[in-house]
């Protein structure tokens, strides 16, 4: 499947460059009968929109999504749902300086090597702006998941070494409130940590430098058994989805890399049955996934983001001809990509879970009998 | 695509349970004209075979692969390559004890929830034995990559907190020799660390417990530009592939989670041109991938494995009816899954790279002109 | 793959309803480096545009395609190419009459049964207007094929029992000129037959009735060996592609159904070598495809179209409640769908051939060596 | 998706050459909980087995399928179902005569052009023997469909111009009994026509020649709404599936090519409601499919087969070097492929319908609510 397609049954196809006329997505496979309007999408677009706080870029992107197809009287019809986001800030800038130069930490060089041509205006297809289409699609997935009381909440776990309080990381209980996340300029549920992070970011900006961080995602409400046993394990899909976001260099599920230091007797999550004989785990080192399938417990995933590669500090590089050049990236850039990436992570997780919900529907013959023998 | 299928053009479909008659894989999409016999596959099978050292299970699996199709006179024909591996150790054991019990840390519960039925003999489809088919396929991918001087080497980076010397982790130069890896009972290129790891594993076994570790993979020889810009980023594919291996809970590319603590000025890999005006990076924090595409530098990936869930220590759990049960897993189990997982990681990486090599072939019109206008 | 997606490497995802804001397509997988602007697409759009002659609907659709992404300075970049076609003729009509009634010969009933909801305005997603997106994509595929001197020409072979002269159907030589096709109001290369067809259509319209016909497609310039041996045979792909066009009820390759009456000694196309030792067939009963792969000869395919289901004549039907209703379809409808379907057939063939051209690129190891070892 | 893969959710991957060690198929996506043993498959294998009557080849193929995975205690587990069919008749023959010669009407030339290498023993991957794997998979699909009272019956409609009586072709009622089909040596439900066909085939054999014919398939029991609206229309999938069978040159649905001669008022199938207000059509020109989705009426499809290309009569051809050669195919060949192709057609239809049944499960939100909200 070509590279801008994602998902088996809840399938999306995205398009658009940073400085082209528009970005967008076609969602093919969303079940018919779901109430859906632009109002469901706009709050998600707003969360990734730059210029929301002083820690995100000042470029004004109104990012108004337009649903072009797939709904009728505000309800999905089963036809593909196309969502269009016009680029409104395309004033013709002078890109001659970066047209031939490969910016360190950016895809300029690798894109040019692959395709032999490069839309250098703002990074083209490799711009973070590409994620606007993911967010629009993820908002639709979220609406579908809400029908089944499934909800993903992403938040900033850390900016550099400033990390939210441990209580927000309890794997057995989701103590993260969406409201607390949204009111933080860096999307940390812990306001004290958030303040420290803001101060740190101010410092990085003054230093003409940038920093990284970690986004964490909690998913609650999943039935047990979503996912698959081999290549399409739920954690494999989540890892691929999160790693596909620009600047992510690491992905974990549950306890992540620390499991390598643990022991079987500590790491295994024991089972118990509640009074209704529903089975749960007594701990959640596994992050809600066992053997590639959901346990019914909270899903926990993390993604590590590298520092924003666009920095004002002068850097060494080369141009297309291989001539040494110095570059300092002009303009007002985010000292970290993390806050804007939070909603992107949440949306990628929504897409994976929605797809798993659909593909799981035919796992059992008795499910089919529920549908076809009424 | 159903869950036991993997790859776009170098496509595999695997099958087989731990205690069924056989496992195997069908590879569809391997180019015609590649020399291939069972001799190319056997060394890979041997590397994942249990009973290789005292740190891996004693079960005797001869794991002899049989090529059933797709080659003629020792050369691939373009037809699907089916590889069969008979299970030779299926003596009828008494599985009645675990037939109804959900082992902690295993897929017993989630598989049963998903499918409503479970082949409990040795874990069925969720057994690590499933990876034999991946290894057979990965060996074929390796043979293809060798045609282009591309090679992946996986090794044990750490067992619990025992880690190989830093020199083996230099991101700018692959100091890991395959011979050194293969002669270590735990597949560590650093013999001193390997000895400490063996002593640690002995101790864990005496404690009836287990431990985890980290596998690292280096890939050399890649041309720049393999991969894709959005969902099919090379790192996204690698992350999904590695996370799809049982017991993996974390995956990184390049500097991994430590990038979250870095700064843009430190983390960005600068470009320079060599005397032939070929462009390289002066450092390799990115692990050979930028914007989802290979830079031409060494690819570096890591996967964190949780401790073997099968431990002799008594554990709490429940049975299908929700009744509390105690379980201590009988038999001789590996105190860590890491050594046997090394070749599995290498093979999954081979599969991803081989697929990227093929899908990249049509990225540019001039590539097509090389093929179609002679 | 969900139902509005098509193609493996030259992959398209279409969207849009008859009376929604817009239709469009995202092409993912078109090689970088192809010159492409809206001017390449417009002539194709014009050919399917209604109101072109008195035998096609009067609805005014300007069908101006807008390329939203994937090109830079008039050349494809390897990024997805999104093409948008706004619906300009959406005056709010009174659809209350057909909102609850299932039109005979239309998808109203089956769509409602499948999805439980129906955008009844002009047929919604099941409208022939959906094919505008296919045509836009097929125009891009045609541009790609032209790079390799491959060209598909579709034309009307027959309207009811009025058929073009046999000379246009010679399987060994393509005697159909694009100019002759385009200047015919019914897209028949035979002007005499075209005139008879026009007279017949006038009569059908007077009778408030409609008629069917056959579209034939010739493809020249293909190298031998495109296609595949089993499920993705070139003829299988063509058959699926043509049958996916609304109103098609039969598809043939080469001599089609008449082969069932032939003998092996007559039907087998013998081989001979020309002076340059290039191998050809002495006849072309097979329509340029043998064992699912192109022979290098002219590809010949046909598609049979049923009469336009929208007729002014009164018909019996039922509404959603199962109540008997009479219906006579209002408005000015085409007495046959064939002329407008000609370009749609051509474009579907272009899409299949373009995809086969790309997927074939990795069939042989020596092809890969041409790309990766320079 | 590479060429030996088929299906979206009921996905199969086949392998095997005519004279290799084995053929087989991996079915990934069959729901768990279906009773399945080799006994379900054997009758289908027997129907395509050669040597069944004097009109099919004498080669002895026992074609015993072995289920290697995916079932436990005779029930599917949701894991991939691999079915192996060993080739038992691989005596080493002298193929030197055809090793370098391109047989007319066979894939020898095109396969060689595509892959640059050819397993010439018995046609290799392009042998009709490949269909054994399709039949094994189709038998499993049939077992699944039977759970929902859906049944496909294929039969020989005609051998050359000898056609079964019209009563067997009534589109409103399936008058074809499986028993009648199976007891005919040419699988015609009309014993009188069958006798004439046998006499005709004897004559063709005496003439060292061969003939073609038409296979027709009836599917009953389908719910309305299976299929899709655009590229994955049910008829498009059927057309692609049938055309992918070797020697098929034409495919129709319902009235097929004769619709091109009809009128809208005759061709449209009117709707009526029965006493329970279930909606049906009063006629069935459309062959049970409208707008790409099933109407709930009987599905009717036909496939036209060309004469067996292997004939004893001498033919002109060339060898690899382009040198003119004469060839008369040795051995005892079927004077027609039609009887053995009947079960192959039925099985391909089963695969398409089973896949449509699964993919349709998530078309509506209310279907999902039946599964996930208990």
């Amino acid at each position: 499947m070509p590279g801008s397609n994602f998902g088996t049954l809840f399938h999306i196809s995205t398009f658009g460059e940073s400085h082209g006329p528009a970005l967008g997505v076609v969602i093919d496979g969303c079940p018919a009968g779901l109430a859906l309007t632009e109002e469901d999408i706009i709050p998600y677009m707003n969360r990734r929109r730059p210029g929301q706080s002083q820690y995100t870029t000042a470029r004004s992107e109104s990012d108004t999504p337009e649903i072009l197809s797939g709904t009728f009287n505000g309800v999905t019809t089963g036809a593909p749902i196309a969502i269009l986001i016009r680029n409104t800030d395309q004033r013709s800038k002078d890109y001659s300086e970066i047209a031939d130069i490969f910016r360190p930490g950016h895809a300029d060089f690798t894109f040019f090597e692959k395709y032999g041509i490069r839309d250098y205006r703002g990074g083209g297809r490799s711009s973070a702006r590409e994620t606007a289409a993911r967010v629009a699609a993820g908002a639709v997935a979220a609406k579908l998941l809400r029908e089944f009381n499934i909800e993903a909440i992403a938040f900033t776990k850390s900016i550099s070494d400033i990390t939210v309080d441990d209580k927000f990381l309890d794997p057995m209980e989701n103590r993260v409130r969406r409201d607390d996340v949204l009111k933080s300029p860096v999307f940390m549920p812990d306001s004290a940590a958030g303040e420290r992070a803001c101060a740190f970011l101010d410092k990085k900006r003054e230093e003409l430098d940038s920093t990284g961080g970690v986004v964490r995602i909690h998913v609650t409400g999943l039935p047990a058994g979503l996912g698959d046993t081999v290549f399409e394990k739920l954690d494999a899909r989540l890892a691929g989805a999160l790693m596909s976001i620009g600047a992510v260099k690491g992905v974990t599920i549950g306890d992540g890399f620390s499991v390598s230091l643990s022991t079987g007797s500590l790491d295994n999550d024991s089972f118990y049955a509640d009074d209704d004989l529903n089975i749960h785990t007594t701990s959640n080192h596994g992050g809600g996934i066992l053997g590639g399938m959901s346990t019914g417990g909270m899903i926990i995933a993390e993604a590590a983001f590298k520092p924003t590669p666009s920095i004002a500090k002068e850097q060494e590089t080369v141009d297309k001809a291989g001539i040494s050049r110095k570059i300092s990236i002009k303009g007002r850039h985010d000292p970290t990509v993390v806050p804007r990436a939070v909603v992107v992570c949440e949306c990628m997780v929504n897409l994976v879970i929605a797809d798993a919900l659909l593909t799981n529907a035919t796992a059992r013959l008795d499910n089919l009998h529920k549908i076809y023998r009424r």
Side-chain angles (χ1 to χ4, degrees), chain A residues 365-374:
Chain A
L365 191 57
D366 53 9
N367 282 350
L368 289 176
H369 279 302
K370 285 176 196 163
I371 293 169
Y372 290 113
R373 275 189 186 164
R374 283 161 251 196

Side-chain angles (χ1 to χ4, degrees), chain A residues 1 10 86 91 114 130 143 145 148 160 164 171 178 195 213 231 235 241 256 263 286 301 312 322 330 337 340 364:
Chain A
M1 204 158 57
F10 194 94
R86 287 274 172 192
R91 3 154 223 234
K114 183 178 189 75
E130 163 263 312
K143 191 78 195 287
L145 295 177
F148 303 94
S160 190
V164 298
R178 190 177 289 282
E195 280 176 36
F231 302 116
D235 33 1
T263 64
K330 301 278 166 46
V337 300
R340 291 185 63 193
R364 299 166 65 147

Side-chain angles (χ1 to χ4, degrees), chain A residues 69-83:
Chain A
S69 64
T71 63
F72 183 53
N73 294 335
V75 176
T76 61
T77 63
I81 301 164
I83 305 172

